[in-house]
């Protein structure tokens, strides 16, 4: 059985599980027995380092120990894939996206991107309570007007990778823009920053970011009601 | 400025709020010269549309004078007199380019709320809940118009406000409902609901060549107006035991060729299904009451068309879909693509073919709004249409 629970989390699991077991058994009732059983399961999880819930979700907090220099190792992290159709040509969309400095205009939680050279750029994400996080990314794959692939460089504090694909839509409906993002949620403060960038619901966040991209490209502005009057102000 | 604000179920208040400002480069600000309470505002007043917040400014039927334009507004200028269609269209997405303006992709900042229910979201709407974008409405002294070049239609001088205000919603809505019926010579059109939309559907069916029009309602004044203005045959469903049988007999046993449900989700009725709907809506297990829709589907002749301008928002039980299938009915519905009709209908108004102001029964100021919402809801004082001059 592979471990999928991090070292510190295993200890926490054992401690919390023992306490729950003791509390549950002391109650000498049916609900108490259930609490005791839950506690015992936590102890087992901590002792073995394998969590069936994480396993079922394809998720792991265990340290990656094969040491290969990939930004998000296969089978790890969270992957989001979303597609939107935009009434514009693949060429214009490719050019817009290829200038990564445009990305913060529609990615809500991205503070800024600074292009360093043809391949490399520095990304800064909004963090909670003014805590920003930054990393360097490099373009690893590129076919003009079709796709761009990038990943955070080796040694980045936040590991992530992404690609965007531009495909002409049928019947002159514009371009299908598909985005695939993968990131490895680290623990601690950095985890909070990266989680915030992708939102509490990463699927939703990417979907909404693509909607903003569509609005920006098609109309030149992003719909808003912020700061409009109401009887509340 | 003064604005009519939603404060809860059965509670609207006129409050002092900040003036609207330009928020995006295609915005404009209008000084509202005339605005109206729409029948669909009563759905908000009755608390059956989710995602309203206390303090939201109401109103999606308004017109006025442009007082400020954003940096990207090209066609309009300060001083222009405009009417503002209720659906907000960007003019640039695939749907707008295919004249499906009320299904615009780009004007609802809260599109995800609608997508959660319907899969895909249509346009934003002024003053009509946060799931339709949460835009401040036009029952106020000033209003912000989004994508003004697309969503504000210039009106020439010389025509009074009262004759053109209803180009914002109810006249095109009634007209599209009739147009969706694809009326042929000799057709009989039955219209459920003789509120403003139903009355304009009747007027439009007349313009489009219907031979007979049945007007179905329970309010004598409305039925009388339909008869006097547009020659409709009144049917007061409270005076008959079985409205279906009455409609069938009046149409020689064939049924109306085309049926229009201009009632929507808060329909009244006195048959068993209507009572069942009221109970379910009261218990919040169903948004919509659909008595008129069921009756229209049942009454329509084989191979006929049922056109639905009445607003439905959620789930409906016991819709006789098998009936619609068995009779090979065509169903047409949806929010009105107002932008398609403002030009042609303005021309008809200028030529005197239709005078929309004949339905106005109450002319008041903004401060009378709370009382007017109640009068309109309760159909007191023979109220058909309320217009407010800020």
């Amino acid at each position: 059985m592979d471990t999928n629970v991090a070292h510190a989390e295993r200890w926490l699991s054992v401690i919390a599980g023992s306490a729950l077991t003791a509390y549950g058994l002391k109650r000498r009732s049916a609900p108490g027995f259930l609490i005791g059983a839950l506690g015992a399961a936590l102890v087992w999880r901590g002792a073995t380092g394998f969590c069936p819930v994480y396993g079922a979700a394809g998720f792991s907090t265990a340290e990656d120990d094969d040491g290969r220099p990939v930004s998000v190792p296969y089978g790890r992290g969270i992957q989001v894939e979303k597609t939107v159709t935009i009434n514009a040509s693949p060429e214009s969309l490719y050019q817009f996206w290829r200038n990564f400095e445009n990305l913060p205009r529609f990615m809500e939680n991205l503070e800024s991107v600074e292009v360093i050279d043809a391949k490399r750029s520095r990304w800064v994400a909004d963090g909670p309570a003014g805590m920003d996080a930054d990393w360097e990314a490099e373009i690893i794959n590129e076919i003009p007007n079709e796709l761009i692939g990038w990943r955070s460089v080796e040694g980045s504090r936040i590991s992530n990778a992404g690609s965007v694909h531009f495909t002409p839509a049928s019947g002159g409906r514009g371009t299908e823009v598909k985005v695939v993002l993968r990131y490895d949620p680290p623990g601690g403060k950095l985890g909070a920053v990266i989680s915030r960038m992708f939102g509490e619901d990463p699927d939703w966040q990417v979907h909404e970011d693509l909607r903003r991209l569509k609005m920006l490209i098609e109309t030149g502005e992003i719909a808003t009601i912020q700061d409009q009057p109401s009887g509340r102000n | 400025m003064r604005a009519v604000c939603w404060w809860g179920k059965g509670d609207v208040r006129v409050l002092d709020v900040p003036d609207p400002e330009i928020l995006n480069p295609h915005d404009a600000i209008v000084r509202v010269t005339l605005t109206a309470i729409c029948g669909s505002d009563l759905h908000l007043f009755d608390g059956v549309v989710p995602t309203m917040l206390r303090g939201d400014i109401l109103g999606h039927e308004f017109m006025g004078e442009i007082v400020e334009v954003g940096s990207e507004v090209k066609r309009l200028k300060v001083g222009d007199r405009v009417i503002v269609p209720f659906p907000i269209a960007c003019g640039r997405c695939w749907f707008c380019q295919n004249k499906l303006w009320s299904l615009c992709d780009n004007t609802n900042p809260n599109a995800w709320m609608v997508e959660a229910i319907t899969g895909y979201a249509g346009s934003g709407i002024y003053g009509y809940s946060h799931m339709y974008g949460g835009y401040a409405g036009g029952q106020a002294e000033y209003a912000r118009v989004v994508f003004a070049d697309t969503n504000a239609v210039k009106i020439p001088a010389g025509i009074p406000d009262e004759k053109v205000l209803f180009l914002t919603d109810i006249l095109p809505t009634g007209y599209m409902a009739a147009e969706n019926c694809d009326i042929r010579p000799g057709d009989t059109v039955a219209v459920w609901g003789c509120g403003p939309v139903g009355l304009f559907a009747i007027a439009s069916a007349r313009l489009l060549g219907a031979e007979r029009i049945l007007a179905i309602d329970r309010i004598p004044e409305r039925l009388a107006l339909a008869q006097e203005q547009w020659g409709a045959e009144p049917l007061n469903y409270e005076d008959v035991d079985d409205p279906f049988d009455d409609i069938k007999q009046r149409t020689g046993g064939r049924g109306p060729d085309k049926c229009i449900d201009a009632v929507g989700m808060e329909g009244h009725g006195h048959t068993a299904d209507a009572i069942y709907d009221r109970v379910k809506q009261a218990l919040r297990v169903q948004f919509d009451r659909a008595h008129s829709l069921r009756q229209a589907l049942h009454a329509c002749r084989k191979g006929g068309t049922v056109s639905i301008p009445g607003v439905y928002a959620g789930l409906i039980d016991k819709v006789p879909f098998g009936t619609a299938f068995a009779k090979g009915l065509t169903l047409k519905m949806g929010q009105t693509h107002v932008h398609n009709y403002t030009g042609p209908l303005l021309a008809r108004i200028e030529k005197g073919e239709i005078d929309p102001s004949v339905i106005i029964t109450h002319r008041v100021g903004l401060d009378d709004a709370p009382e007017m919402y109640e009068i309109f809801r309760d159909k007191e004082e023979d109220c058909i249409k309320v217009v407010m001059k800020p």
Side-chain angles (χ1 to χ4, degrees), chain B residues 138-159:
Chain B
Q139 289 170 9
E141 290 180 277
Y142 294 90
R144 166 185 169 234
V145 177
V146 182
F147 294 112
D149 279 340
T150 305
N151 295 306
V153 181
K154 270 200 246 188
I155 300 294
I159 315 172

Side-chain angles (χ1 to χ4, degrees), chain A residues 108-111 125-132 183 189-202 205 209:
Chain A
E108 199 176 19
N109 298 319
L110 195 56
E111 172 90 17
D126 266 341
M131 210 174 54
D132 289 348
Y183 67 100
K189 287 180 180 177
L190 280 175
V193 173
I194 194 79
S195 298
R196 188 185 144 104
M197 181 182 159
F198 289 97
E200 284 178 10
D201 180 347
Q205 188 64 50
D209 283 350

Side-chain angles (χ1 to χ4, degrees), chain B residues 188-204:
Chain B
T188 296
V189 179
V191 179
W192 276 257
C194 296
V197 168
L199 289 170
F200 286 145
I202 288 167
S204 303

Side-chain angles (χ1 to χ4, degrees), chain B residues 197-254:
Chain B
V197 168
L199 289 170
F200 286 145
I202 288 167
S204 303
R206 186 56 76 207
L207 286 173
L208 293 170
E211 181 148 329
R212 290 177 65 199
I213 301 168
L214 297 184
I216 304 161
D217 205 298
R218 65 190 170 103
I219 316 269
E221 294 75 24
R222 296 180 173 204
L223 291 168
L225 186 62
Q227 187 173 22
E228 286 157 20
Q229 287 289 333
W230 300 291
E233 302 166 33
L235 193 174
N236 189 326
Y237 63 80
E238 287 190 339
D239 293 345
V240 297
D241 290 334
D242 182 353
F244 167 72
D245 190 57
D246 201 66
I247 294 164
K248 189 171 180 177
Q249 296 315 315
R250 287 187 192 216
T251 51
R254 300 186 308 276

Side-chain angles (χ1 to χ4, degrees), chain A residues 77-149:
Chain A
I78 291 172
Q79 176 163 319
V80 178
E81 183 179 317
K82 287 285 162 197
T83 304
V84 67
T85 300
I86 300 181
N87 200 358
S89 68
E91 293 76 16
S92 62
L93 287 162
Y94 170 84
Q95 274 162 24
F96 184 85
W97 197 293
R98 181 63 180 78
N99 179 5
F100 281 4
E101 292 183 3
N102 280 325
L103 301 187
R105 293 172 66 185
F106 63 92
M107 289 188 178
E108 199 176 19
N109 298 319
L110 195 56
E111 172 90 17
S112 67
V113 178
E114 181 198 344
V115 171
I116 300 167
D117 58 34
K119 293 285 177 201
R120 292 163 84 91
S121 49
R122 172 161 301 283
W123 300 45
V124 181
D126 266 341
M131 210 174 54
D132 289 348
D134 64 303
W135 66 91
E136 211 176 296
E138 61 179 348
I139 290 175
I140 51 171
N141 190 10
E142 184 170 23
I143 303 174
N145 307 330
E146 280 182 35
L147 76 90
I148 308 167

